[in-house]
Amino acid sequence: MAKDPVRVLVTGAAGQIGYALVPMIARGVMLGPDQPVILHMLDIPPAAESLNGVKMELVDAAFPLLKGVVATTDVVEACTGVNIAVMVGGFPRKEGMERKDVMSKNVSIYKSQASALEKHAAANCKVLVVANPANTNALILKEFAPSIPEKNITCLTRLDHNRALGQISERLNVQVSDVKNVIIWGNHSSTQYPDVNHATVTIQGGEKPVKGLVADDEWLKGEFITIVQQRGAAIIKARKLSSALSAASAACDHIRDWVLGTPEGTWVSMGVYSDGSYDVSPGLIYSFPVTCCNGDWKIVQGLSIDEFSRKKLDATAAELSEEKALAYSCLS
Ligand SMILES: NC(=O)c1ccc[n+]([C@@H]2O[C@H](COP(=O)([O-])OP(=O)(O)OC[C@H]3O[C@@H](n4cnc5c(N)ncnc54)[C@H](O)[C@@H]3O)[C@@H](O)[C@H]2O)c1
Ligand SMILES: O=C(O)C[C@H](O)C(=O)O
């Protein structure tokens, strides 16, 4: 029997990531090839005409899984009945703007969209925040939507996770699909800690530690970390625009694994509400290694953390605490 359609909200759908993301969702990349979808696309009034153009293209693409499109600038209409919300909409940093100015605009957007989601989304709606500052926007959304379970509010660090897989695969000249269990700890920012201490590569039928195969601790503790931390900036420098196709693809990976589960023996990185695991202060949205099963994520427990890693985990947590304080000062 055909499945009922799932309603997926994409905010900022007229933007760059939105334009890459909506066809992926309509093709089944996010929820699987047998899952019909109804797309809800939200943008702001100045982008309404462009949003309508995206809707026209979705119709023209005749996606068999796409059972409807809502394209609107009305946040209530956009949020009504949605099962999944991918929050890409936000205010980009412009020339001459201070960090606090951008933070102030974005946290107030996330505060008001939190209320709309809380009141109008389907029960058990899963939320993924992509827009920067992603962890702090997600935290504000969580704080102002208290009736949405905290487990349902996450942010995107899967792009950083995939970037780390990509770097290891290039360095070792192996298929990216044979590399697994890297970890992104902390903030989706340049303080994030890409950690390969537990990562493996499948080689000649067995799983071998990445550390041993790379056999260059200086590179793993130096250049590798910097490349992953700075990859977003490198894309902006090269394209004069921030990453879009890789961000859209990572958003699909994040939701797909959350809903459909991670493969046995594999974890992924997700920004989730910290419960004190690995001595990260509770009350932050922090990226951890997680496994997913039956629509729920669980932080992987018991991984050893050496002194080098401990410092990195703490530094990115400290930045998130500062961002949290700044966000609250913007809202007060
Ligand atoms: N977490 C990640 O891995 C990651 C990766 C890449 C980009 N990003 C972030 O994703 C966000 C979007 O990137 P983009 O390149 O698509 O930007 P973009 O400027 O092309 O698109 C953003 C869209 O959001 C819309 N928007 C603004 N305010 C809105 C509101 N209140 N409600 C709904 N829509 C609104 C804009 O009109 C625009 O169409 C940025 O914040 C970017 O920094 C995050
Ligand atoms: O938009 C940015 O600042 C960069 C983006 O978050 C990325 O990681 O590519």
Side-chain angles (χ1 to χ4, degrees):
M1 207 175 71
K3 291 182 172 176
D4 288 336
V6 168
R7 289 181 184 270
V8 183
L9 167 66
V10 176
T11 71
Q16 281 210 89
I17 295 177
Y19 191 69
L21 178 60
V22 291
M24 292 184 190
I25 299 171
R27 266 202 182 279
V29 175
M30 179 179 274
L31 293 168
D34 61 345
Q35 178 58 66
V37 291
I38 298 175
L39 270 168
H40 287 220
M41 303 194 298
L42 175 71
D43 214 294
I44 48 176
E49 196 180 346
S50 170
L51 186 67
N52 194 41
V54 178
K55 179 177 177 179
M56 286 157 64
E57 286 208 64
L58 285 169
V59 172
D60 295 349
F63 294 111
L65 288 173
L66 186 61
K67 302 301 177 193
V69 181
V70 177
T72 182
T73 58
D74 175 21
V75 68
V76 172
E77 187 185 7
C79 292
T80 298
V82 297
N83 309 100
I84 289 170
V86 187
M87 313 298 285
V88 185
F91 197 90
R93 184 161 165 163
K94 297 203 172 139
E95 233 180 319
M97 283 178 80
E98 296 295 327
R99 211 165 85 96
K100 186 164 176 172
D101 302 328
V102 191
M103 173 80 84
S104 164
K105 289 206 179 290
N106 282 305
V107 293
S108 50
I109 292 172
Y110 279 82
K111 181 180 170 187
S112 70
Q113 293 185 351
S115 310
L117 275 174
E118 182 174 45
K119 289 198 193 94
H120 304 287
N124 213 26
C125 175
K126 288 179 159 57
V127 182
L128 165 62
V129 178
V130 175
N132 284 318
N135 302 54
T136 300
N137 286 340
L139 183 67
I140 294 302
L141 199 152
K142 182 220 153 275
E143 306 277 60
F144 289 92
S147 70
I148 300 181
E150 65 196 27
K151 285 211 98 175
N152 288 26
I153 297 175
T154 64
C155 85
L156 188 71
T157 54
R158 183 62 175 269
L159 174 56
D160 311 289
H161 182 101
N162 289 348
R163 285 167 171 163
L165 295 177
Q167 288 304 310
I168 296 298
S169 108
E170 288 215 314
R171 172 82 184 196
L172 293 174
N173 201 17
V174 296
Q175 296 298 317
V176 73
S177 52
D178 289 333
V179 187
K180 66 175 190 178
N181 295 350
V182 298
I183 304 168
I184 302 298
W185 299 97
N187 199 1
H188 171 69
S189 78
S190 57
T191 67
Q192 67 177 262
Y193 172 42
D195 175 2
V196 296
N197 283 312
H198 309 277
T200 61
V201 178
T202 303
I203 224 164
Q204 291 151 0
E207 285 182 4
K208 303 260 164 28
V210 162
K211 265 182 95 167
L213 290 171
V214 171
D216 183 349
D217 264 17
E218 199 180 317
W219 182 79
L220 285 174
K221 288 183 167 172
E223 202 180 337
F224 163 74
I225 292 177
T226 313
I227 289 174
V228 178
Q229 288 174 334
Q230 302 288 341
R231 189 68 157 185
I235 305 284
I236 293 174
K237 188 159 180 274
R239 276 187 7 104
K240 320 290 175 237
L241 286 168
S242 72
S243 61
L245 86 84
S246 53
S249 179
C252 289
D253 288 346
H254 177 115
I255 298 286
R256 187 198 59 236
D257 287 347
W258 189 2
V259 173
L260 300 175
T262 41
E264 187 65 36
T266 300
W267 64 65
V268 294
S269 303
M270 282 170 67
V272 298
Y273 195 62
S274 155
D275 61 354
S277 292
Y278 296 98
D279 292 323
V280 171
S281 319
L284 298 174
I285 299 269
Y286 189 99
S287 180
F288 287 98
V290 301
T291 53
C292 306
C293 187
N294 298 326
D296 280 327
W297 53 264
K298 207 163 70 188
I299 297 174
V300 176
Q301 297 295 334
L303 298 172
S304 57
I305 304 291
D306 63 17
E307 204 181 318
F308 177 86
S309 298
R310 184 72 255 164
K311 287 197 176 120
K312 300 267 181 215
L313 263 75
D314 291 345
T316 190
E319 183 185 54
L320 281 168
S321 296
E322 270 172 39
E323 275 190 18
K324 180 177 179 177
L326 184 60
Y328 272 98
S329 76
C330 292
L331 289 174
S332 63

